[in-house]
Amino acid sequence: MHELMRIIKDYKAGKNSGIFSVCTSNKYVIEAAMDRLRDGDKYLLVEATANQVDQFGGYTGMTPKDYKDFIYELCDKNNFPKERIILGGDHLGPLTWTNLQPEKAMENSMELIRQYVLAGFTKIHIDTSMQLLGDKESGDFGDNVIADRAARLCKVAEEAYAELLKENPLAIHPVYVVGSEVPIPGGAQEEENHIQVTSVSNFENTVRSFKEIFMSYNLSEALEYVIAVVVQPGVEFGSDSVWSYDRESAKELSAAIKNHDNLVFEAHSTDYQTKESLRKMVEDGYIILKVGPALTFGFREAAFALNSIEEELVQYHPEFETSRFREILDFVMMKNPNQWKKHYIGSLEKIKFERKYSLSDRCRYYMPDEDVEFALQKLLDNLSNVEIPLPLLSQYMHSQYVKVRENKLKLDPYELLKDKIGEYIDDYIYAIS
C-alpha cells in the first residue's frame, strides 16, 4: 500500500494523521526537512512543480529523472533513508503552456506526466484547471473540460506505470490528486479582500464529473488511486498578507469529505499559517498540506542574517572578499524580472522592498543563477573560515544562538542556515503529530 493511502486510512479511522509536502528544489530547504524528520518514522514528501522540472529542464534545468537523482544524492549526503522519501509532481498539466493551442499544450503535458511516472514519482497532482488558448472564447470551460483533460493525462500515467513495471516489478502504483479549484502556484498575484471557500456543491460536482469522465476513459482502476481533491479552504497569502484558516467558514466543506471513504483534501498555499491553524486543517480533512514559498522565505531570512554577520566580520579583513550576496541577488532579479514582475506591483520603493522581503518569495527562482549561487557559496565559505562571536549570532539569529548555547546546534554557517529553515518546518510537524 502506498504510504499516502495508509495515512488516509489512519485519518478515516479517527487518528490525527497527515503529511506535509515540501514543494521546492532548494537543496538547503530539503536538507533542513531531512534534518527535522531523520530520527523519526515520518515520511518526507518532496514535490517538484511543473515550472521547476519538466522534459525541457524547467527553470531549474532538471528533468524529472534529474530531480529524482538530485533528491537521492541529498539522501546519501544527509543520511536520510530513501525508502522514506515520497516523490511528487505538483501542478502537472499545461501550467506553462497556456499560450499554446489546447492539443499542443496537452501533447506537452502528456510527455510531462509520462516522464514523471517513469522516473519513479508516485504522487501525481494532475492539474488541468487553467484555461488554454481559445478556452475563454469558447465559453464552455468548466469541470467537464477540466476532468476530460485530466483523464487523458491519467491514462498516460497509467500506461507509463505499466511500462515502468517491466523494468521494476516492485514499482509502487502512483496515487493521484485532482481538482478544478486549484490555487495558482506561489501565492495570490493580486491583493484580495476575501478568499472564497470552495462550496460543497462545487466540490461534489467536481468529484462526480471526474468519476464519470474517468469511467468513460476506462480508468475505473485508476480511480481507486485518486486519493485527494484540491479545494480552497480559505487560506492564501500575498506579498504582505496572510489569509488565516477559519474553521467556521470552512465547516460545511470540511464535513463533506466525511461522505467519501477514500478521499481527503489537499490544501495548497498553506504557507505562513500558524501551527494551530495547520493542526485544525489536518483535523478537518485537509491532511495533505502543501508548503513552498514559506520555506524558501525562511532560507532567505537565514541567508540575509548570515550576510549581515559576514559583513560585520570580514568587510575590513585583508584575507577575505565579502560575498555581497544580497546585492548580487537583487541585481540579478533586476536584470531578469520575468519571475517577479507579475507579482510585485506599485511604486518603485514598494517593488524594491518586495524583491527582498515579500511573503510571495520570488528569490527562490534566482538561486540556480550562476552568480547568485557563487555569492551564496562565498558567503558560507567566508563564515566557515572565521569564528562567529556569540553576541553577533544573538543579534541576527537569536534562536540559533540559544541552541548553540545549549549544545543543541553546531556553530557552523550551514547548520545555522538549515536550522532557521527548520523553524518553519516545525509548524508542519506539529500539525501532523
Side-chain angles (χ1 to χ4, degrees), residues 2 46 95 126 140 166 168 191 200 279 281 315 373 375:
H2 195 290
V46 185
L95 173 69
I126 301 176
D140 62 354
K166 295 176 183 178
N168 178 13
E191 294 298 324
V200 173
R279 174 166 278 192
M281 291 180 71
Q315 62 177 324
E373 191 172 27

Side-chain angles (χ1 to χ4, degrees), residues 102-330:
E103 280 310 306
K104 180 58 180 176
M106 287 299 294
E107 180 184 319
N108 287 350
S109 302
M110 289 175 184
E111 181 59 22
L112 175 74
I113 290 269
R114 178 178 174 275
Q115 289 200 19
Y116 267 83
V117 174
L118 287 177
F121 287 68
T122 64
K123 178 185 177 291
I124 304 296
H125 170 213
I126 301 176
D127 185 6
T128 52
S129 64
M130 62 290 296
Q131 292 186 353
L132 304 181
L133 196 65
D135 280 344
K136 185 176 182 181
E137 291 75 12
S138 71
D140 62 354
F141 183 79
D143 275 350
N144 286 341
V145 172
I146 292 169
D148 185 83
R149 290 173 180 169
R152 291 170 63 189
L153 296 184
C154 186
K155 193 172 186 65
V156 171
E158 290 289 286
E159 292 168 353
Y161 174 66
E163 185 178 342
L164 180 63
L165 277 178
K166 295 176 183 178
E167 295 180 21
N168 178 13
L170 299 179
I172 298 174
H173 195 293
V175 294
Y176 302 111
V177 176
V178 299
S180 58
E181 292 191 29
V182 183
I184 61 171
Q189 291 188 10
E190 298 179 0
E191 294 298 324
E192 303 179 45
N193 293 323
H194 179 66
I195 300 296
Q196 184 66 44
V197 175
T198 299
S199 69
V200 173
S201 60
N202 283 355
F203 162 65
E204 296 291 0
N205 187 62
T206 294
V207 172
R208 183 168 53 253
S209 297
F210 272 77
K211 281 185 176 179
E212 291 174 356
I213 292 176
F214 272 47
M215 291 294 288
S216 74
Y217 277 86
N218 297 317
L219 290 169
S220 57
E221 291 185 14
L223 275 172
E224 297 178 13
Y225 294 94
V226 176
I227 62 167
V229 179
V230 180
V231 291
Q232 175 52 270
V235 302
E236 188 54 273
F237 62 93
S239 190
D240 59 3
S241 304
V242 179
W243 289 265
S244 298
Y245 180 61
D246 182 349
R247 174 174 267 174
E248 182 65 22
S249 297
K251 67 178 182 180
E252 292 182 3
L253 178 62
S254 302
I257 201 64
K258 296 177 181 178
N259 299 322
H260 300 271
D261 292 339
N262 300 311
L263 281 180
V264 293
F265 292 129
E266 176 169 285
H268 290 223
S269 300
T270 68
D271 308 69
Y272 310 108
Q273 296 294 313
T274 67
K275 66 179 185 179
E276 294 297 342
S277 289
L278 292 170
R279 174 166 278 192
K280 288 178 182 178
M281 291 180 71
V282 171
E283 292 171 353
D284 293 347
Y286 311 91
I287 76 167
I288 305 175
L289 302 172
K290 305 293 283 289
V291 57
L295 302 184
T296 50
F297 180 88
F299 160 80
R300 194 272 313 153
E301 279 188 325
F304 278 20
L306 290 172
N307 199 171
S308 295
I309 292 172
E310 179 209 25
E311 288 174 350
E312 291 286 350
L313 288 178
V314 308
Q315 62 177 324
Y316 303 118
H317 200 295
E319 297 180 12
F320 292 93
E321 292 283 349
T322 55
S323 67
R324 297 166 53 224
F325 171 72
R326 282 177 298 195
E327 180 183 341
I328 289 171
L329 173 61
D330 196 50

